[in-house]
Amino acid sequence: MIKREMYMKRIRPFIGTDLIKVMTGIRRCGKSVMLELIKEELLESGISQDQFISINFENLNFSHLQTAKALHDEITKRAAEINGKAYLFLDEIQEVKDWEKCINSLRVSLDCDIYITGSNAKLLSSELSTYLGGRYVEFIIYPFSFAEFLELYRSITPDIPFQECFQKYLSFGGMPYLANIRYEDAPSKLYLNDLYNSVQLKDIVKRNKIRDIDLLERIIAYVIANIGTTFSATSLSKFLKSEKRTVAPETILNYIKYCCDAYLFYQVKREDLQGKQILSSNEKYYIADHGIREAVFGGNMRDINLVLENIVYLELLRREYKVTVGRTGDKEIDFVCEKQGEKLYVQVAYLLASDETVQREFGVYDRIRDNYPKYVVSLDEFNMSRNGIKHRNIRDFLLEEKWN
């Protein structure tokens, strides 16, 4: 079990406080493991295991607790038998009807420390957070970064060359469970297919009561094929029309939003860097895990430039950057990243194989006059930094602790 210190560092200050700790992210990205890591820390600090109340709502043994009243009564009963503070670990809480009323009541009535996980971004929609207003902290958990993947993969195959590890990461992505099947090709592909179907069925179709599953599948296929490419709902509507499906752009936007709510996709807005405004159309989308893309649709090596972009984008999110696509004149910067008043620009390329490519990738920064760090990252082994713009090999970039 990897310690996932990046997340523990953020969660640790809140352990033992009365704020509700909420962990969200795509199904099977390791949220349950985070609960186990928190339990480990509590045990090491002298808390007794008898003080833990753990319920996973995907386990049918707990299906009778999927209403706020039943869950409240069960936890209240079990907490009464605990000597001292109760520690509640509630996994996939969205399966419980009106869960937020139950959690808020427990927070008020019990001496307890509450940790919950869920696979839907709407878990803390404005309507729900009314009950918990200001009394929770949220941590989004992502599939493994390249650094985490490397640590785990090297523990299975210690002698494998560094470049080969990255090749594996390009194909398999960062879903934690794959380590249990030793990243073997056929089982890994089967697992990722199953995961994709599970997200689609449980977190998108069932949750949003979607009837037209064929349409949803076509929209998902289109978005996955076009990760990192700007497109509009209108252009997707025209594409579907060519496939004999007439669909309103609003319906398409709703379906894509359901996918984003299930953390299958992330939307990145475009920003006009001169006018300092967010543009209202032609967003980009990236997939939560590029391994799912390879298993379900294939083509990661064919679309390697887009997949590298996807990997860098997720790494920026892991490090808590707010990311937009930057437009400056007729040029676009892949990622404009902000965190606590600091800025960072990142341009992603596959290989800087010709003078034209070098000019294009470095030239996007021509009109940017500020002194914030500007990067071009690619798979090239040689450092091509110039004019104050830093060039990094993408593997090294992903493993750097700090970008400055």
Side-chain angles (χ1 to χ4, degrees), residues 337-351:
C337 323
E338 284 194 55
K339 179 165 71 170
Q340 294 163 353
E342 290 299 306
K343 226 175 192 178
L344 183 75
Y345 300 94
V346 185
Q347 186 70 7
V348 185
Y350 169 38
L351 289 170

Side-chain angles (χ1 to χ4, degrees), residues 295-308:
V296 178
F297 293 93
N300 275 11
M301 293 306 144
R302 185 190 61 234
D303 303 325
I304 188 158
N305 54 328
L306 299 179
V307 173
L308 292 176

Side-chain angles (χ1 to χ4, degrees), residues 142-160:
Y142 300 95
F144 283 160
S145 64
F146 177 50
E148 290 175 314
F149 174 88
L150 194 61
E151 185 186 333
L152 204 53
Y153 194 63
R154 281 249 169 99
S155 71
I156 296 166
T157 48
D159 302 323
I160 194 160

Side-chain angles (χ1 to χ4, degrees), residues 10-186:
R10 293 168 199 163
I11 296 167
R12 208 171 272 125
F14 299 99
I15 292 177
T17 69
D18 62 353
L19 288 173
I20 298 153
K21 277 65 74 181
V22 184
M23 279 154 271
T24 56
I26 190 171
R27 190 173 285 272
R28 302 191 206 164
C29 68
K31 299 184 295 294
S32 306
V33 170
M34 292 310 304
L35 295 183
E36 293 307 315
L37 290 170
I38 293 162
K39 286 179 194 173
E40 270 185 17
E41 294 232 346
L42 287 166
L43 291 169
E44 282 166 19
S45 73
I47 303 296
S48 162
Q49 188 137 11
D50 298 339
Q51 291 171 258
F52 297 166
I53 299 174
S54 303
I55 301 172
N56 184 341
F57 294 101
E58 293 220 290
N59 184 333
L60 276 175
N61 291 328
F62 300 115
S63 57
H64 62 293
L65 299 178
Q66 290 187 356
T67 65
K69 180 82 171 76
L71 181 60
H72 188 274
D73 291 350
E74 173 72 12
I75 288 178
T76 306
K77 188 180 82 182
R78 286 167 66 175
E81 295 162 10
I82 289 172
N83 188 12
K85 190 190 280 278
Y87 293 82
L88 314 183
F89 300 93
L90 307 172
D91 216 348
E92 298 297 353
I93 192 78
Q94 76 273 355
E95 302 298 331
V96 178
K97 189 175 175 350
D98 295 329
W99 64 268
E100 65 284 354
K101 295 176 185 173
C102 166
I103 295 298
N104 196 40
S105 176
L106 292 170
R107 187 190 63 76
V108 172
S109 62
L110 289 182
D111 178 14
C112 63
D113 188 10
I114 304 174
Y115 302 84
I116 62 179
T117 78
S119 303
N120 197 283
K122 282 200 296 197
L123 205 63
L124 294 169
S125 64
S126 55
E127 176 190 331
L128 299 184
S129 58
T130 309
Y131 287 95
L132 309 176
R135 300 184 186 97
Y136 68 86
V137 279
E138 183 186 14
F139 308 93
I140 300 176
I141 310 297
Y142 300 95
F144 283 160
S145 64
F146 177 50
E148 290 175 314
F149 174 88
L150 194 61
E151 185 186 333
L152 204 53
Y153 194 63
R154 281 249 169 99
S155 71
I156 296 166
T157 48
D159 302 323
I160 194 160
F162 183 49
Q163 285 89 335
E164 218 174 295
C165 287
F166 191 66
Q167 281 292 335
K168 286 285 182 189
Y169 187 61
L170 279 173
S171 296
F172 289 116
M175 278 300 170
Y177 188 81
L178 295 183
N180 296 4
I181 43 182
R182 303 182 69 80
Y183 295 98
E184 288 180 20
D185 278 27

Side-chain angles (χ1 to χ4, degrees), residues 177-196:
Y177 188 81
L178 295 183
N180 296 4
I181 43 182
R182 303 182 69 80
Y183 295 98
E184 288 180 20
D185 278 27
S188 296
K189 195 168 182 181
L190 189 63
Y191 173 80
L192 291 169
N193 260 294
D194 169 57
L195 167 57
Y196 166 74

Side-chain angles (χ1 to χ4, degrees), residues 315-382:
E315 187 62 26
L316 292 164
L317 290 190
R318 275 184 205 99
R319 300 189 188 203
E320 300 187 291
Y321 282 96
K322 182 173 171 285
V323 184
T324 55
V325 174
R327 192 183 76 180
T328 163
D330 59 348
K331 293 174 178 170
E332 255 189 12
I333 297 168
D334 289 333
F335 303 121
V336 179
C337 323
E338 284 194 55
K339 179 165 71 170
Q340 294 163 353
E342 290 299 306
K343 226 175 192 178
L344 183 75
Y345 300 94
V346 185
Q347 186 70 7
V348 185
Y350 169 38
L351 289 170
L352 302 172
S354 65
D355 289 342
E356 290 91 331
T357 312
V358 171
Q359 183 47 44
R360 186 182 68 238
E361 301 301 340
F362 283 84
V364 298
Y365 294 124
D366 286 349
R367 296 188 185 191
I368 307 293
R369 297 278 176 252
D370 63 36
N371 292 318
Y372 291 116
K374 299 167 185 69
Y375 284 94
V376 173
V377 300
S378 72
L379 274 174
D380 296 278
E381 301 293 343
F382 300 106

